[in-house]
Amino acid sequence: MSSPQKIRLQVLGPLELRTVEGNQILSVLHRPQLLALLAYLAMESPHGFVRRSSLLTVFWPESDGSHARGSLRKALFQLRASLGEEVLLAREADEVRLNADLVWCDAVAFREACREGDLERALALWVGDPLGGLDLPGVGGFEEWREEQRSRLQRQ
């Protein structure tokens, strides 16, 4: 049995998603909705679970409940298929998070460095505009979340 692949997600500056060996994960990079969901989970769940209802509100606010839940299930399935089963963890039927042992995100590391007062490490992680190039036109919940994250990161 092979060990799960470890993944690096860069959202501070040009978006990148790579294995730790440096290989791009194009199956997610070329799908903005999946990449946005991955970024959201990485930044919202480094130490805890995210309720599926929160994901529905952010990513499928205009959809009826049944359609939105189906879209979320499909998106989570596609992330698991692209990144590995072990990357997503679930608790009961209503909560999900990324496995922080397998997914490293520069924004999470940046926040941690700021909290610890390690400004040198924080500045080294800051490559450019947070979540730049990650747009989901017509998905207002995500756009609002993205702008809040940008502001918060820039203030730090």
Side-chain angles (χ1 to χ4, degrees):
M1 184 173 177
S2 65
S3 60
Q5 72 177 346
K6 294 190 178 184
I7 296 162
R8 295 179 54 89
L9 173 63
Q10 178 179 307
V11 297
L12 300 176
L15 295 169
E16 288 191 13
L17 181 62
R18 298 180 179 275
T19 63
V20 292
E21 293 81 21
N23 301 318
Q24 284 190 326
I25 304 172
L26 299 176
S27 59
V28 176
L29 271 175
H30 292 305
R31 305 206 40 215
Q33 182 106 21
L34 288 183
L35 186 56
L37 179 59
L38 180 65
Y40 183 94
L41 287 170
M43 294 173 70
E44 290 294 324
S45 71
H47 305 292
F49 285 84
V50 175
R51 296 188 63 77
R52 288 177 188 251
S53 58
S54 297
L55 296 172
L56 298 176
T57 300
V58 171
F59 289 94
W60 296 278
E62 304 298 321
S63 296
D64 64 75
S66 176
H67 183 262
R69 284 188 299 278
S71 295
L72 176 58
R73 273 193 305 276
K74 182 178 178 183
L76 294 174
F77 173 83
Q78 291 169 334
L79 282 176
R80 283 185 178 105
S82 295
L83 305 176
E85 283 290 323
E86 304 86 0
V87 166
L88 286 171
L89 304 173
R91 182 167 60 190
E92 299 181 15
D94 194 43
E95 296 177 313
V96 66
R97 75 174 174 93
L98 290 181
N99 183 339
D101 293 334
L102 298 180
V103 181
W104 177 89
C105 177
D106 60 351
V108 174
F110 172 82
R111 287 178 176 157
E112 194 174 279
C114 288
R115 260 192 315 276
E116 294 170 357
D118 188 346
L119 299 181
E120 188 174 321
R121 183 171 58 129
L123 287 173
L125 290 164
W126 191 273
V127 179
D129 183 29
L131 300 161
L134 188 54
D135 297 311
L136 293 179
V139 183
F142 176 76
E143 297 295 320
E144 288 176 27
W145 174 83
R146 185 191 64 196
E147 292 310 312
E148 288 172 16
Q149 295 303 309
R150 282 181 172 165
S151 294
R152 185 179 300 153
L153 287 163
Q154 289 167 346
R155 280 193 308 271
Q156 285 182 310

